[in-house]
Structure formats: C-alpha cells, structure tokens
Amino acid sequence: MDKTFYITTPIYYPSARPHMGHAYSSIIADFFARFKNIDGHKVHFLTGTDEHGLKVQRAAEKNGQDTQKFCDQISKTFQDLSKTLNLSNTDFIRTTEERHKKSVQHLWNELEKNDDIYLSNYSGWYSVSDEAFYNEDEIDEIDGKKVAKSSRSSVEWIEEESYFFRLSKWEKPLLEYYKSNPDFIAPESRKNEVISFVKSGLKDLSISRKTFSWGIPVPNNEKHVIYVWLDALTNYLSALEYPDKDHELFKKFWPASIHLIGKDIIRFHAVYWPAFLLAAKIDLPKKIYGHGWILSGEEKMSKSKGNILDPLKIVEKYGLDPLRYYLIKEVSFGNDGNISQERLEDCINSDLANNYGNLCQRVVAFAIKNCKGKVPNEIKFQDEDFIILNKFKDNLENIRSKIDQQNINFYIDYIVNSLFEANKYFNDQEPWKKKDNLIRLNTIVYTTLEIVRKISFLLYPIIPESSLKALKIFNISENEINLSSIENNEYLLKDNNINKIDILFNKIEKNND
Ligand code: MSP
C-alpha cells in the first residue's frame, strides 16, 4: 500500500494582504510536504482562505466593496503568494466554494442528528478580530476598553439567539483522548496548555450567528449563519470530498497526518475540532502542531501593530530560497522567533554562499579542470571516504524519526554540519596536490561530488529551487530526487558529464560602518 501524508496549513483570512506570519506557516508546511514526497509518500498538501464571518465582512465594508468580490481579490493574493513561495500544495480551498458549503452543512446535520446541537440564547463577549467568544475571566480592561487577555484584541458584547454545540459533553472524552494519544497535540507546552484549559471545564459553544449574513446558512433555519470556526475547520474534510467517505481522496488521506497551525489558534484545533469530529463519529487527525510566532522587535508581527516584514519585498530583494532557509533555520521550531534583515543577510553569506554554494562551485570547477568534466571512473575508496559517505545512510532513520517529531532544527543542523564536514574533507584531502596520484585525486572528487548530490537531496525540502540548480551538475531532475537512493547507498554513475552551474547565492555586501 502507498504511504500517504496529508498536511494542512491554517486557511488564512482574506481580510488583509498576506504577511510574514502567513508565509511562515506555509513554508514550514511545504518543507514537511516536500520531505515526505521525496521519502516515498503520496502527499496531499492543503492551504487556502477562510472567507466567511464578521471579520471579513467588515473588512470588505471598510473598503467599500462587495464582500464576495473583496474575497476574490484578496484570496487571489494568497494564491499568488503560494506560487511566490514555491509551495507544492496539491489543493487550495476557499470556504466560499460550493464543495465546502455542502460539506459544512452535512457536518452540521450530523451533529444535529446525534443530538449535539440545540437552540438557545447567547450573551457574552466576542472578538471579531479573533472570531472568538470569551468568558468574563478572559477579559481585561485597558484604557476603558474591553480586550481579550490572550490576544489583546478588542471585544464587543453580543446578545442573540444562537445554536449551541454540546461541548461540555465532550470534556471527559477529550481528556481521555489526549491521554491515550500523547502525540496528538505538540509541542508539549501547547499540550499542557490545552489539557489545563479543558480540565478547567468546558461550556457549550455558540455555533451560529443571527445578526449578520456573511456565512453558510444553518440547514433548515436560514436566519442563522454557521459560526465561522465550525465552517473553517471543516475545510480539512471538504477538500477530501467529505461527506463522500468512499471518495478516493477521503479514503487515502483521512485522517490528516498533521494540521500545522500557529499557537494562537490551538484551542480551536485541539479542543473544538476534535469535539466536533468525535460528535460526528469521524476519525481525528493524527497531530495538531502549534508553532510559535514570528516576532519583529520582540512583538508578534501583525497588521494592527504595524511591524510587518513583507514577504514579497524580502523575496524581491534576496530571492525566495534565502527567505525559506532563514525562516526554517532561525526560528527554533515550536517557539517564537525574532527575525531581522541583518540576520537574514548573515545567514545568506555564511550558510548559503560560503558553505553550500562554495562547495558546489569548488568541486565542479576542479572536476572540469582535472577530471575532463566527467564523474571520475577510476577510483579507490579509503576509510576516510567511506566514513563521510556512509554517514548519510547511517543517519537516515534518525532523520526520519526526527522529522516525525517535527524536529526541524535537528534536520537543518545536520545539514549545516554535513556541509561543514564536506568542505573540511575537500580542504584536508588537498586534491590539487594529488596530480601525480590520479586515482586518489579522482576518488576525492568523486566523494565530494557524491556528497553534494546527497546534501542537495536533503536541502530540497528547504530550498527546492537552489537544490535543483545544484543538481543540474549531474543532470538530475526533480522527479529523480528520492531518499531511497540514500537508503540504498546508491552512488553517482561514473563517466557522466558534469555541468557548470551558475552561482547559487550571491554574497551580500555588508556595510560595517
Ligand atoms: N482563519 C484562521 C485559521 C482557520 S484554520 C481552520 C486564522 N487566520 S489568520 O489569517 O489570522 O492566521 C493564520 C495563521 O497565521 C495562524 O495560524 C496564525 O498563527 C499565523 N500567523 C499570523 N501571524 C503570525 C506571526 N506573526 N507569526 C507566525 N504565525 C502567525 O487564524
């Protein structure tokens, strides 16, 4: 049977243009998707836009635009961003699509059928910015204004007729589920936070609104629209053609391998979503991973704070792969991370230009000059060659298991160390002094080329475009990248041509004044 992997990003509100926080979630998801892809999995990678609710409706009103047209426009900028970031997503879902509406209404009916929904009245605090209901004890007052303690976003009092989901009923089953599935919520700190929230007692959840209309109508009561989070979370199912459980996509990819999200939306994903699914008797996703925030000057990057680093501008200035590499490397995954252009430039110079780019250029230039531009044929490995070559195969199982624990930092450290060792190997072996011992010279070149190939494979999930450029040295194309060749310890074919390649990364001139 095929190994499958289904990964999702949060679906983004098209209330404003995309920023670095969105780019971050998407790039990380792409990293996992590409890794699993070259590791022999059939991958389904979903991203999209979350278009209903008051937040989006008000943003459209503020712009004096028809809501659907406004969504079309901004959703397009997210679709464009997916291309700019070179995401390998296999689908892009919009919650205003018919396939999604059908799915959400079906889920609603299931919940209703199982007696998990009842009609009553809601009165309490609501944050439009978070699209979340808050209890009194979750509210603070700042300068006479009521805000949510967790997000600092302002809240408004609402009182209206509303349908409720019997969330309280699922308190115990959820706690039991967390206990018997210790990997369900990650990292550990988020899991503890969720468990203590659930233990503190769950109240039934308001799941419809009556005072605005931008949403999916409640089946059989069109005066209500479905709460935007119940609507949005269902995207993970609707993209697999739920409720058609016999559909190939659903059969193949549900339950999802991982929902990758930001830590600010952990409660929706790790409490509400599993409760809805338990109530509808649908399997739960295998993992919810809540990553940290990208900070700029110690604060969460957000539109309202005006401290946004625009991913498009960064890509324009430095190129895409440096940004991908930097975000993946710099932020200790799971924690918040501060980013700056200064550190990005350092990273380009040291890791990408000096370490990887330089290794590729040096060995290719040397091989063209001294090995007739071909992968050397007459070679004889010594211990030091085997040691450096076999490391990749020997570490592969460990790398795989670290990836399954979302330990991205291990992965990137492994690559940086391997690059460092490879440069050191080439320097220490001094092939330029071996012109009277061609077999040794050839062997050093062969070994270094083989390492470039292997490292480029491992770099592919992080910097796909540059890794492909480097693999042009050997005429290796994208569909030939696979980790099984490392597992099987396959080596480069001898006598094949070696191609010159363009500089992979330009060094950034730094002004040290
Ligand atoms: N629409 C909801 C998600 C629904 S998923 C069923 C939403 N959208 S959002 O556009 O506001 O945010 C999407 C994701 O971007 C969230 O996971 C959020 O954490 C992430 N980021 C937004 N700003 C961020 C940073 N500054 N840093 C890292 N990620 C942050 O929430």
Side-chain angles (χ1 to χ4, degrees):
M1 232 182 65
D2 281 344
K3 290 185 285 180
T4 60
F5 184 72
Y6 176 28
I7 185 163
T8 63
T9 71
I11 49 171
Y12 305 109
Y13 290 125
S15 51
R17 304 177 78 78
H19 64 68
M20 199 59 89
H22 305 130
Y24 181 67
S25 290
S26 291
I27 287 172
I28 297 288
D30 189 56
F31 164 80
F32 286 116
R34 285 181 188 269
F35 179 88
K36 288 293 179 179
N37 196 304
I38 62 170
D39 201 21
H41 293 68
K42 286 254 170 305
V43 174
H44 199 58
F45 170 17
L46 177 70
T47 185
T49 41
D50 177 4
E51 308 190 7
H52 292 127
L54 208 44
K55 178 174 170 123
V56 173
Q57 183 180 309
R58 284 194 184 158
E61 280 163 6
K62 213 170 140 198
N63 277 269
Q65 264 180 300
D66 167 72
T67 317
Q68 185 63 58
K69 279 204 185 115
F70 178 76
C71 286
D72 292 348
Q73 239 175 49
I74 307 223
S75 175
K76 173 87 176 34
T77 65
F78 279 95
Q79 291 168 55
D80 291 346
L81 182 74
S82 303
K83 294 202 183 88
T84 309
L85 299 178
N86 197 5
L87 303 187
S88 56
N89 58 303
T90 43
D91 197 356
F92 186 102
I93 192 157
R94 300 183 55 190
T95 55
T96 46
E97 287 173 69
E98 209 41 55
R99 59 170 171 163
H100 176 71
K101 283 188 196 166
K102 214 176 64 191
S103 198
V104 172
Q105 289 185 324
H106 185 90
L107 182 65
W108 178 284
N109 286 335
E110 289 295 293
L111 298 178
E112 200 158 41
K113 199 171 79 193
N114 298 342
D115 189 33
D116 272 288
I117 291 182
Y118 61 92
L119 186 63
S120 182
N121 287 294
Y122 178 81
S123 57
W125 297 106
Y126 192 77
S127 156
V128 176
S129 171
D130 305 343
E131 295 283 21
F133 301 95
Y134 288 108
N135 297 331
E136 198 63 55
D137 61 349
E138 294 175 304
I139 301 298
D140 247 355
E141 192 163 324
I142 298 179
D143 301 333
K145 268 182 67 187
K146 300 276 190 188
V147 297
K149 278 183 190 162
S150 53
S151 62
R152 303 270 129 206
S153 60
S154 56
V155 291
E156 49 198 74
W157 184 258
I158 58 172
E159 279 186 26
E160 62 192 57
E161 184 186 67
S162 172
Y163 284 95
F164 282 79
F165 171 71
R166 294 188 200 280
L167 185 61
S168 55
K169 174 175 143 188
W170 296 99
E171 188 181 310
K172 267 217 180 101
L174 280 174
L175 288 171
E176 276 159 24
Y177 191 85
Y178 302 147
K179 201 164 173 194
S180 45
N181 297 275
D183 293 333
F184 179 59
I185 307 168
E188 198 69 15
S189 56
R190 305 271 126 77
K191 176 163 99 182
N192 298 336
E193 182 192 307
V194 167
I195 292 178
S196 75
F197 171 73
V198 175
K199 275 190 177 156
S200 74
L202 294 178
K203 290 203 319 196
D204 289 351
L205 178 72
S206 161
I207 49 163
S208 76
R209 296 292 309 267
K210 210 181 166 188
T211 44
F212 67 92
S213 60
W214 183 241
I216 299 177
V218 166
N220 306 322
N221 189 350
E222 305 246 320
K223 289 193 195 111
H224 288 251
V225 291
I226 296 175
Y227 175 40
V228 63
W229 271 102
L230 172 52
D231 167 341
L233 288 159
T234 309
N235 90 90
Y236 304 132
L237 287 174
S238 47
L240 301 183
E241 300 293 333
Y242 173 83
D244 182 0
K245 290 186 174 173
D246 291 325
H247 196 282
E248 201 195 341
L249 281 173
F250 190 89
K251 282 202 302 202
K252 229 175 174 170
F253 293 113
W254 194 260
S257 314
I258 181 165
H259 292 319
L260 186 73
I261 54 164
K263 64 179 185 179
D264 49 334
I265 54 175
I266 194 89
R267 192 182 291 181
F268 303 98
H269 282 81
V271 182
Y272 303 166
W273 182 225
F276 297 149
L277 291 171
L278 285 172
K281 301 187 174 57
I282 300 172
D283 287 343
L284 269 50
K286 292 184 195 132
K287 185 175 269 185
I288 312 288
Y289 192 102
H291 66 66
W293 283 337
I294 299 291
L295 308 175
S296 162
E298 307 295 335
E299 278 205 59
K300 182 185 179 212
M301 203 174 286
S302 75
K303 193 180 160 228
S304 46
K305 298 206 170 87
N307 58 352
I308 292 180
L309 270 185
D310 182 344
L312 296 177
K313 292 209 172 107
I314 298 284
V315 171
E316 214 171 277
K317 183 160 178 198
Y318 301 100
L320 170 65
D321 281 352
L323 173 68
R324 289 179 60 114
Y325 183 90
Y326 175 66
L327 287 178
I328 292 175
K329 172 158 186 219
E330 184 78 349
V331 181
S332 148
F333 191 57
N335 299 318
D336 293 349
N338 223 304
I339 61 168
S340 70
Q341 286 202 43
E342 166 107 34
R343 291 279 308 133
L344 167 65
E345 291 180 356
D346 290 344
C347 200
I348 296 175
N349 287 349
S350 64
D351 290 22
L352 296 177
N354 284 350
N355 220 354
Y356 181 48
N358 193 33
L359 177 71
C360 296
Q361 297 298 345
R362 272 175 91 190
V363 65
V364 168
F366 189 85
I368 287 180
K369 207 163 152 209
N370 299 286
C371 309
K372 305 195 183 93
K374 291 189 185 297
V375 176
N377 188 336
E378 282 181 68
I379 56 175
K380 191 168 182 290
F381 290 128
Q382 298 178 3
D383 282 353
E384 58 264 47
D385 314 321
F386 278 130
I387 288 173
I388 193 160
L389 280 170
N390 287 343
K391 269 193 180 158
F392 294 90
K393 172 183 167 16
D394 296 344
N395 278 298
L396 191 59
E397 260 324 296
N398 190 26
I399 289 175
R400 283 180 174 135
S401 100
K402 290 289 197 298
I403 288 292
D404 286 337
Q405 298 156 28
Q406 291 71 48
N407 192 340
I408 300 184
N409 296 93
F410 171 88
Y411 188 82
I412 205 145
D413 287 348
Y414 180 79
I415 292 176
V416 172
N417 286 335
S418 303
L419 280 168
F420 182 76
E421 275 177 18
N423 274 308
K424 184 170 179 327
Y425 167 87
F426 197 71
N427 284 342
D428 291 355
Q429 295 296 321
E430 301 181 311
W432 49 89
K433 288 192 185 163
K434 303 283 175 350
K435 297 207 172 148
D436 51 354
N437 179 357
L438 279 185
I439 291 200
R440 187 64 205 141
L441 180 149
N442 283 341
T443 310
I444 299 164
V445 171
Y446 185 94
T447 303
T448 313
L449 286 170
E450 179 52 33
I451 295 170
V452 165
R453 183 183 75 96
K454 289 190 154 89
I455 294 186
S456 299
F457 276 24
L458 292 177
L459 275 169
Y460 169 79
I462 307 175
I463 46 172
E465 211 179 297
S466 310
S467 132
L468 283 171
K469 259 196 205 167
L471 289 169
K472 283 219 174 88
I473 299 171
F474 316 108
N475 273 328
I476 293 177
S477 58
E478 192 161 15
N479 53 15
E480 293 171 285
I481 302 178
N482 60 71
L483 296 183
S484 63
S485 85
I486 294 183
E487 183 160 22
N488 303 332
N489 228 1
E490 288 164 15
Y491 287 175
L492 280 166
L493 281 181
K494 295 168 184 167
D495 277 335
N496 271 4
N497 282 339
I498 287 169
N499 304 306
K500 240 188 173 154
I501 51 162
D502 296 335
I503 297 268
L504 291 179
F505 304 97
N506 288 313
K507 275 185 97 165
I508 314 282
E509 291 297 331
K510 298 206 50 151
N511 202 342
N512 289 327
D513 295 346

